[in-house]
Amino acid sequence: DTAVSQTPKYLVTQMGNDKSIKCEQNLGHDTMYWYKQDSKKFLKIMFSYNNKELIINETVPNRFSPKSPDKAHLNLHINSLELGDSAVYFCASSRAGGNQPQHFGDGTRLSIL
Amino acid sequence: KQEVTQIPAALSVPEGENLVLNCSFTDSAIYNLQWFRQDPGKGLTSLLLIQSSQREQTSGRLNASLDKSSGRSTLYIAASQPGDSATYLCAVRDTGNQFYFGTGTSLTVIP
């Protein structure tokens, strides 16, 4: 009965590959997010998305793209992986409205060889 | 551009002590400020969210304050317990729907 679940938990792959990370939430939330946490533990938002609006952090390379098949899922697709993409990626969700707390998944640790 | 700073980076206290964690931000035009805890290998757990019109929020032993004009927030933890050991992060949401996180304070409560 995990609220926000991400798969896989660990992902090891080679530079240049294309990979996807899946995220599902069973909280009935309207908004989902992707974050990147680097090796220094600094957390940075990448995207926030609901069925009306996608907000992209301008610093995110266009190799990263969110894909949402339905309200409960927001997958992260990454093309042409680079060494600098190694990080922990967190998915989160919240109810609509700006003052709603976010609920986080446990993260996906991506390692690029 | 908004910058969020947390001091100290690490803190170690004996069990039972009251403690204060600090968060400062450079742009006072915020929508809200949220405090999270992160346990090793886990995601973030939301502790308290303070809207821009509010000055404080309380939940159990936790109290968070917000002073927008000075760009500061504090998280007060009363009667600390070993289970409080974690990294505490503050995050600012601006009016443009962007989020900015501090680098966190790693708290260790010694039994």
Side-chain angles (χ1 to χ4, degrees):
Chain A
D1 59 343
T2 304
V4 181
S5 59
Q6 298 178 225
T7 54
K9 189 173 177 65
Y10 300 96
L11 181 56
V12 181
T13 190
Q14 292 191 326
M15 206 164 49
N17 285 348
D18 302 337
K19 289 293 178 185
S20 292
I21 306 172
K22 295 185 177 180
C23 179
E24 176 182 5
Q25 53 93 6
N26 62 6
L27 297 167
H29 287 168
D30 301 290
T31 306
M32 296 184 73
Y33 311 82
W34 276 105
Y35 290 87
K36 178 181 180 181
Q37 188 172 41
D38 62 24
S39 57
K40 296 182 180 177
K41 304 296 184 185
F42 187 65
L43 201 68
K44 196 171 189 180
I45 189 165
M46 301 176 71
F47 307 100
S48 67
Y49 181 79
N50 60 31
N51 59 3
K52 298 176 184 176
E53 190 177 23
L54 170 65
I55 297 176
I56 303 171
N57 185 319
E58 60 186 13
T59 66
V60 174
N62 59 13
R63 298 181 295 103
F64 291 79
S65 56
K67 297 185 190 304
S68 180
D70 56 57
K71 202 173 81 165
H73 296 83
L74 184 66
N75 304 324
L76 181 65
H77 190 76
I78 316 169
N79 289 328
S80 303
L81 282 157
E82 300 178 357
L83 289 175
D85 298 334
S86 295
V88 181
Y89 292 84
F90 288 99
C91 176
S93 71
S94 72
R95 291 183 180 152
N99 287 314
Q100 298 294 332
Q102 295 178 39
H103 297 253
F104 279 72
D106 286 344
T108 295
R109 182 173 294 277
L110 173 63
S111 299
I112 309 300
L113 304 176
Chain B
K1 184 191 169 188
Q2 181 74 267
E3 291 186 9
V4 181
T5 307
Q6 291 186 245
I7 295 173
L11 182 63
S12 185
V13 300
E15 182 177 1
E17 268 202 12
N18 303 325
L19 58 101
V20 175
L21 307 180
N22 297 293
C23 173
S24 60
F25 46 95
T26 54
D27 187 345
S28 61
I30 68 171
Y31 196 81
N32 63 41
L33 184 144
Q34 200 164 352
W35 282 94
F36 295 89
R37 70 174 278 167
Q38 184 175 25
D39 294 284
K42 296 290 186 181
L44 279 64
T45 299
S46 178
L47 299 173
L48 291 164
L49 184 150
I50 311 176
Q51 300 178 30
S52 62
S53 59
Q54 297 173 330
R55 293 194 63 86
E56 68 175 353
Q57 283 286 330
T58 298
S59 175
R61 294 183 294 109
L62 306 180
N63 175 281
S65 68
L66 174 64
D67 183 344
K68 268 200 323 179
S69 60
S70 67
R72 292 180 185 173
S73 175
T74 60
L75 179 67
Y76 176 83
I77 303 177
S80 58
Q81 302 171 358
D84 295 331
S85 298
T87 296
Y88 289 81
L89 295 153
C90 69
V92 166
R93 181 174 189 160
D94 71 11
T95 53
N97 215 24
Q98 291 287 341
F99 294 83
Y100 301 89
F101 281 76
T103 48
T105 294
S106 177
L107 173 66
T108 303
V109 181
I110 304 164

